[in-house]
């Protein structure tokens, strides 16, 4: 029951700090240089857009099969072995070919079995009864790659959206192959959709000069459409000489020769070496710049390019060049994304939600105050003061961390206030029991606090752990609800066991009453 000056001033300082942190939520920021932490409103309160993006995992299998088939061809040719009738089967997750000569089958099997694997047991190699050889991807390995690809896609989506200046986007995973994107304050997400729907995988490949005007791709080539010449295609080697993953920077610029918009890029050391080697060895040949399986341009290599810098020209305007630079900086999506579902919430509906939530919070708060004042008198008013401090501290902590408040979060705050009153009721009822047993006022207060504290700690500890698990494993509204409850439990313990007790103890120390008002 004794409060030292240090303990007294610590409790008061914590309450004052809470009030100070709440101010930015109600006052406009006076200057840009001043830190101004605020609670951000979620999609259901502020209005905005909701996008459910579907991940095309089949393309991941196709790309990996194509990469393995290219590696297999290179390995076989390096060993002096031939192949024919190469076929990819994305549904079965395998590619197959026939040996040039049946006597080479064993050597083909050995070379393919020795190929490096991205993950353990990624694929198996076997001869089929019809004399062909098949390389089959492992389902477990592909599931692992798919999980990693979706995780990587979420990070790239986040980087792309952050670069647009969107405030407080919420990007979460749903199931195995879906990504939820919530954009508060953005009612027209068309620009965001165009950015997210672009894979932005850029590669540099040599053009097959032996197939001019071809309509069917020779083995090892792919017919790709030309961006600036709709309806025309170009035979491009499947082998990727320089990967866009080696880009370290890209941005919009102007072409010094034409004065039009262009995109410059810079490669890392590995990309610079590869770019230098391929341009040095292929002077006079065309080098295609491929973006999402479309040839942007295919200039002729005039001389070796060793600086690691380049420029992409084309029919760009300022926005197209800026967007392409953004996409290349953020990185290519490992898998294509499509919009599976889209919803928009207008700001008027969000404002209605705020009014409804604030009204319910206010009415609930007032009812609790009236109940405590009527049933517990002076100690009930002390509990009300602690309850107000509890609400202030919850808002302060949410502001400090820039948390996003949603309707479920507001419901969690109201529930927390009701739970906080329970702790005060336990303490007062314990004090009543001790008075009935004939204890003095001071002894009754001492025993009431001691016996109620253990019960309060136990009940709040179990609730705290349960809501931490909800926050860790939940998504969307569940996380918002769990966050406010978790913070509310911490502030409830402070306001009940420290502030409420402080008010009661200071009152008793000043008045020394012969009876307690309970």
């Amino acid at each position: 029951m004794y409060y030292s000056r240090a303990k007294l001033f610590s409790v008061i300082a914590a309450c004052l700090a809470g009030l100070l942190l709440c101010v930015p939520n109600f006052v406009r920021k006076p200057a840009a240089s001043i830190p101004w932490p605020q609670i951000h409103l979620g999609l259901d309160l502020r209005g905005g857009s909701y996008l459910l993006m579907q991940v095309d995992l089949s393309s991941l299998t196709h790309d990996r099969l194509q990469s393995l088939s290219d590696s297999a061809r290179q390995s076989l040719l390096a060993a002096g072995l031939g192949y024919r009738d190469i076929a990819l089967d994305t549904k079965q997750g395998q590619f197959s070919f026939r040996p040039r000569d049946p006597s080479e089958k064993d050597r083909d099997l050995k070379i393919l079995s020795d190929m490096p694997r991205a993950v353990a047991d990624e694929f198996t190699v076997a001869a089929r009864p019809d004399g062909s050889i098949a390389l089959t991807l492992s389902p477990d390995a592909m599931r692992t790659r798919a999980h990693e690809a979706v995780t990587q896609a979420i990070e790239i989506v986040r980087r792309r959206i952050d670069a647009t200046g969107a405030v407080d986007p919420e990007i979460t995973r749903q199931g195995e192959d879906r990504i939820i994107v919530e954009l508060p304050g953005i009612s027209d997400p068309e620009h965001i959709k165009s950015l997210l729907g672009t894979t932005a995988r850029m590669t540099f490949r040599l053009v097959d000069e032996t197939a001019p005007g071809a309509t069917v791709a020779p083995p090892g080539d792919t017919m790709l459409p030309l961006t600036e010449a709709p309806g025309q295609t170009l035979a491009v080697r499947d082998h990727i000489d320089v990967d866009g993953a080696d880009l370290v920077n890209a941005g919009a610029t102007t072409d010094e020769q034409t004065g039009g918009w262009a995109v410059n890029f810079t490669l890392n050391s590995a990309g610079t070496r590869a770019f230098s080697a391929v341009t040095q060895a292929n002077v006079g040949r065309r080098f295609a710049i491929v973006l999402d399986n479309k040839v942007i341009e295919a200039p002729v290599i005039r001389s070796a390019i060793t600086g690691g810098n380049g420029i992409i020209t084309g029919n760009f305007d300022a926005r197209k060049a800026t967007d392409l630079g953004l996409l290349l900086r953020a990185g290519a999506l490992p898998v294509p994304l499509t919009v599976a579902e889209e919803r928009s919430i207008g700001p008027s509906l969000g404002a209605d939600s705020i009014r409804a939530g604030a009204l319910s919070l206010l009415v609930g708060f007032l009812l609790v105050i009236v109940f405590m004042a009527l049933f517990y008198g002076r100690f009930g008013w002390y509990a009300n003061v602690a309850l107000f401090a509890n609400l202030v501290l919850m808002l302060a902590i949410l502001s400090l961390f820039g948390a996003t408040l949603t309707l479920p979060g507001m419901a969690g705050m109201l529930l927390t206030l009701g739970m906080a009153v329970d702790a005060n009721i336990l303490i007062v009822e314990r004090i009543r029991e001790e008075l009935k047993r004939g204890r003095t006022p001071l002894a009754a207060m001492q025993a009431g606090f001691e016996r109620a504290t253990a019960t309060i700690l136990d009940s709040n500890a179990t609730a705290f752990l349960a809501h931490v698990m909800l926050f860790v494993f939940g998504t969307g509204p569940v996380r918002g609800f769990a966050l406010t409850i978790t913070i509310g439990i911490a502030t409830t313990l402070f306001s009940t066991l420290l502030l409420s007790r402080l008010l009661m103890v200071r009152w008793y120390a000043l008045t020394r009453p012969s009876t307690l008002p309970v």
Side-chain angles (χ1 to χ4, degrees):
M1 299 296 292
Y2 171 72
Y3 267 70
S4 65
R5 287 183 180 274
K7 191 174 182 180
L8 174 66
F9 289 130
S10 297
V11 173
I12 294 175
C15 294
L16 292 176
L19 282 172
L20 187 62
L21 286 171
C22 286
V23 170
N25 295 296
F26 306 100
V27 178
R28 182 173 296 178
K29 188 174 183 179
S33 59
I34 299 176
W36 212 246
Q38 289 179 307
I39 297 175
H40 303 292
L41 299 181
L43 184 66
D44 50 1
L45 297 179
R46 186 178 175 184
S49 298
Y50 169 96
L51 300 174
L52 179 61
M53 310 298 294
Q54 179 75 45
V55 177
D56 183 9
L57 294 180
S58 63
S59 67
L60 186 68
T61 303
H62 179 271
D63 290 346
R64 184 54 181 157
L65 284 175
Q66 192 169 43
S67 173
L68 287 172
S69 67
D70 183 61
S71 298
R73 287 197 301 269
Q74 297 293 330
S75 299
L76 291 173
L77 292 175
L81 301 173
Y83 54 84
R84 57 190 177 91
D85 300 337
I86 286 184
L88 299 183
D89 188 344
T90 302
K91 291 184 178 180
Q92 297 295 327
Q94 65 179 206
F95 84 84
S96 60
F97 68 93
R98 292 182 180 277
R100 179 180 56 187
D101 189 300
S103 62
E104 298 177 348
K105 183 173 68 173
D106 292 339
R107 294 175 62 194
D108 290 343
L109 289 171
K110 185 178 186 310
I111 287 177
L112 266 63
S113 298
D114 292 340
M115 286 172 54
R117 290 161 169 78
V119 295
D121 301 323
E122 182 186 16
F123 58 81
T124 57
V125 180
R128 299 198 294 196
D130 61 358
S132 63
I133 295 175
L135 184 150
T136 307
L137 293 171
S138 164
D140 291 338
M142 288 310 300
R143 276 192 292 269
T144 300
R145 288 179 61 87
H147 181 82
E148 294 174 351
V150 175
T151 302
Q152 183 183 355
I154 290 174
E155 180 58 33
I156 293 172
V157 165
R158 189 183 308 281
R159 292 205 296 262
R160 291 185 182 183
I161 291 178
D162 288 345
T164 65
V167 180
D168 306 317
E170 185 73 18
I171 303 166
T172 54
R173 183 180 194 142
Q174 184 184 74
E176 292 295 325
D177 59 351
R178 292 189 172 191
I179 299 173
I180 294 176
V181 180
E182 295 182 356
L183 304 167
I186 297 179
S187 57
D188 183 14
E190 292 303 319
H191 183 216
I192 301 291
K193 285 166 57 179
S194 66
L195 291 178
L196 300 186
T198 303
T199 306
R201 186 186 182 195
M202 189 170 75
T203 57
F204 298 85
R205 314 184 204 176
L206 289 170
V207 174
D208 189 350
E209 305 288 358
T210 64
T215 56
V216 178
D221 292 356
T222 301
M223 302 302 297
L224 297 180
L226 297 172
T227 302
E228 296 187 5
Q232 296 185 28
T233 58
L234 189 66
V236 178
R237 294 289 188 186
D238 288 337
H239 178 71
I240 297 174
D241 295 289
V242 182
D243 199 327
D246 293 325
L247 284 170
V248 293
N249 195 18
T253 186
T254 54
D255 187 357
E256 296 180 355
Q257 297 180 356
T258 64
W261 285 96
V263 178
N264 60 12
F265 62 88
T266 304
L267 298 166
N268 60 19
S269 57
T272 300
R273 288 194 298 270
F275 205 85
S276 175
V278 70
T279 54
Q280 189 172 6
N282 294 278
V283 173
R285 295 186 61 182
R286 298 177 69 188
F287 200 31
I289 302 174
V290 181
L291 180 68
D292 291 345
N293 292 323
K294 293 182 179 179
V295 178
I296 298 179
E297 58 178 337
V300 176
I301 302 173
R302 301 297 182 187
S303 61
I305 303 173
T306 59
N309 299 311
I311 186 169
I312 304 170
T313 59
N315 189 21
F316 295 126
D317 56 23
R319 181 165 183 171
K320 287 182 179 179
T322 301
D323 285 350
L324 180 56
L326 183 157
L327 293 171
L328 295 178
R329 286 196 308 273
L333 288 169
V335 283
L337 298 178
T338 55
V339 178
E341 182 182 346
E342 177 184 355
R343 296 200 302 266
S344 291
I345 299 174
S348 59
L349 182 59
D352 291 340
S353 299
I354 293 175
R355 283 193 292 270
L359 180 62
S360 63
L361 190 61
L362 177 61
V363 171
F365 187 73
L366 291 176
L367 289 176
V368 170
I369 287 177
V370 171
F371 174 83
M372 293 300 293
L374 290 176
F375 283 84
Y376 296 102
R378 178 182 290 274
F379 283 4
W381 281 109
Y382 291 155
N384 289 335
V385 173
L387 195 64
F388 177 74
N390 191 6
L391 178 60
V392 168
L393 290 172
M394 273 196 291
L395 293 174
I397 294 175
L398 290 171
S399 300
L400 182 63
F401 292 100
T404 300
L405 183 63
T406 61
L407 272 178
M410 296 184 73
M413 294 175 69
L414 182 57
L415 179 59
T416 297
L417 296 179
M419 293 166 57
V421 171
D422 292 343
N424 285 283
I425 291 175
L426 276 174
I427 292 173
V428 178
E429 290 294 341
R430 283 287 188 180
I431 294 174
R432 280 181 175 177
E433 291 178 4
E434 297 303 323
L435 289 173
K436 290 177 181 179
R437 293 177 182 175
R439 289 181 181 268
T440 63
L442 182 59
M445 290 177 65
Q446 176 75 28
F449 276 116
E450 285 181 351
R451 295 186 178 183
T453 297
T455 304
I456 293 170
L457 289 175
D458 288 345
S459 60
N460 280 280
T462 53
F464 182 83
L465 292 175
H467 287 91
V468 166
M469 292 301 102
L470 275 179
F471 181 80
V472 171
F473 297 106
T475 58
V478 175
R479 286 172 63 91
F481 177 79
L483 176 64
T484 51
I485 292 287
T486 304
I487 293 174
I489 289 172
T491 56
T492 294
L493 293 177
F494 172 85
S495 61
T496 302
L497 300 182
L498 293 177
L499 180 58
S500 181
R501 180 186 296 195
L502 170 64
L503 295 173
M504 293 181 187
V505 168
R506 295 305 299 169
W507 168 79
Y508 183 86
L510 293 173
T511 60
R512 297 288 178 176
S514 57
T515 59
L516 296 178
V518 293

